[in-house]
Amino acid sequence: MLNILSDCDLCPRNCHVDRFSHTGYCNSTNEIKLSKAYLHMWEEPCISGSNGSGCLFFSNCNLSCIFCQNYEISQNSKGRLVSIDQLSNLMLKLQKNGAHNINLVTPTQYVPQICKAIILAKKLGLSIPIVYNTNSYESTKTIQTIAPFVDIFLADFKYFDDKYAREYSNAPDYFNVASAAIKTMYDYVGNPIFDLDSKLMKKGLIIRHLMLPGHGLDTKNIINYLFESYGSNFYLSLMNQYTPYYKALNHPKLNKPLSQNRYEKMIDYCSSLGLENVFIQDKGSSSDSFIPNFDNPNF
């Protein structure tokens, strides 16, 4: 499985570099780089629950989002190298500490190593669900590789119009790539399943969309597309937590927070369509208090 790293095509960038000696677009080598492992309380309620989601934040990324709130790890490669055995042990440690699930955050560039770590952890007693938390700039082949190990896909859908994907994330083919990847995710996990007692999701698809200031039409187009494609067989997480970070601080369209009024109008629009399963965020969610402290990796 690791041999793919010698001619890497894990993501749609298709760099085909030998990661044992070079790095491609995502700046990753053949070694896993991890920035944080801890119980995270600020995911969707059916993911974080009462104890927290066992989040493993991986360093590096195959997108170049100019507004990324985790730019320290995604763009600046902050983190520590860990082995497959160490990653497996961290999964087991998070489970022992009460995590409701193992949440793989921005994992694409390490899928072969993650698969091996999950196999090892399951042999040693890992039994909680696996969450694949992705920007959705994924190849269907990679999703098919990881899907047998995944219970819940927590997938971004960032843009409908590729002009924004090109300008903000250097991904001019984002819509086609992400829509195909999400369809593959849905084909594997199907309709959502919950534990009736805890209200935690056991299996399913949650699609996140972070609203950007001044981009209401793009959001509406994404909502329309998802409703036409999946009806109420998924959960939409409509996010209002946008805060200008990184290069967005100097961008004329993105250097301001999202209007709460625009957000509430989009909630009303979801209701008017008949979307039944929508997570919404409280006013005041656009705060840096929700961003993990990557100076303390917890491992």
Side-chain angles (χ1 to χ4, degrees):
M1 190 178 288
L2 298 181
N3 61 354
I4 192 175
L5 300 177
S6 64
D7 184 24
C8 190
D9 63 350
L10 281 172
C11 89
R13 302 286 179 188
N14 289 314
C15 296
H16 289 286
V17 299
D18 181 352
R19 284 172 49 186
F20 290 88
S21 57
H22 298 83
T23 59
Y25 188 93
C26 69
N27 200 35
S28 302
T29 69
N30 62 303
E31 296 183 283
I32 306 164
K33 200 169 195 181
L34 195 67
S35 59
K36 197 170 185 70
Y38 81 128
L39 295 175
H40 186 45
M41 298 303 302
W42 303 113
E43 303 287 38
E44 286 72 12
C46 65
I47 302 295
S48 285
S50 58
N51 294 349
S53 179
C55 281
L56 295 165
F57 284 84
F58 293 93
S59 304
N60 302 319
C61 185
N62 66 345
L63 288 182
S64 301
C65 300
I66 64 174
F67 52 84
C68 183
Q69 66 178 23
N70 294 341
Y71 68 91
E72 289 180 284
I73 67 172
S74 66
Q75 309 303 314
N76 295 347
S77 199
K78 190 172 188 175
R80 297 179 180 177
L81 297 179
V82 297
S83 68
I84 289 171
D85 284 351
Q86 287 172 321
L87 182 61
S88 176
N89 288 334
L90 283 170
M91 293 177 184
L92 292 166
K93 180 181 177 181
L94 287 166
Q95 177 176 265
K96 183 179 179 180
N97 289 343
H100 294 301
N101 44 64
I102 298 299
N103 191 338
L104 310 168
V105 185
T106 319
T108 311
Q109 58 275 16
Y110 304 112
V111 159
Q113 301 98 312
I114 289 170
C115 290
K116 286 187 170 292
I118 293 173
I119 291 169
L120 179 58
K122 284 184 176 292
K123 287 180 179 178
L124 296 173
L126 184 70
S127 59
I128 54 179
I130 303 293
V131 180
Y132 191 81
N133 188 336
T134 172
N135 61 35
S136 297
Y137 197 60
E138 299 271 8
S139 74
T140 57
K141 183 175 74 171
T142 297
I143 295 300
Q144 289 165 349
T145 299
I146 193 71
F149 303 97
V150 172
D151 302 285
I152 300 163
F153 283 102
L154 187 53
D156 287 352
F157 209 135
K158 294 180 179 293
Y159 314 103
F160 184 86
D161 193 325
D162 279 338
K163 71 181 180 183
Y164 302 129
R166 181 184 301 108
E167 181 179 358
Y168 304 153
S169 299
N170 193 27
D173 53 350
Y174 182 86
F175 177 82
N176 285 338
V177 166
S179 56
I182 288 171
K183 174 63 165 57
T184 305
M185 298 174 202
Y186 177 76
D187 288 345
Y188 270 92
V189 295
N191 297 348
I193 299 172
F194 290 83
D195 181 275
L196 296 180
D197 295 324
S198 67
K199 311 300 183 187
L200 291 169
M201 182 175 275
K202 296 170 62 180
K203 199 171 188 68
L205 170 65
I206 300 174
I207 301 176
R208 286 175 164 174
H209 174 65
L210 174 66
M211 287 186 63
L212 300 177
H215 292 69
L217 178 60
D218 206 60
T219 293
K220 187 174 286 189
N221 285 336
I222 285 175
I223 292 170
N224 288 338
Y225 168 77
L226 293 175
F227 184 62
E228 291 168 4
S229 299
Y230 302 104
S232 294
N233 295 326
F234 78 104
Y235 273 73
L236 172 66
S237 183
L238 189 64
M239 305 171 77
N240 72 345
Q241 68 186 52
Y242 177 81
T243 304
Y245 278 98
Y246 193 40
K247 296 178 181 178
L249 289 167
N250 298 313
H251 193 283
K253 295 178 183 176
L254 300 179
N255 63 357
K256 51 187 174 293
L258 176 71
S259 160
Q260 181 64 22
N261 182 55
R262 294 287 178 88
Y263 180 68
E264 290 172 0
K265 285 184 177 179
M266 206 57 66
I267 295 172
D268 292 340
Y269 183 69
C270 289
S271 180
S272 72
L273 283 179
L275 266 174
E276 298 175 2
N277 304 321
V278 183
F279 291 113
I280 59 176
Q281 291 185 310
D282 295 332
K283 185 177 180 180
S285 295
S286 56
S287 166
D288 57 12
S289 63
F290 297 101
I291 301 173
N293 175 11
F294 295 113
D295 289 329
N296 180 15
N298 295 90
F299 65 91

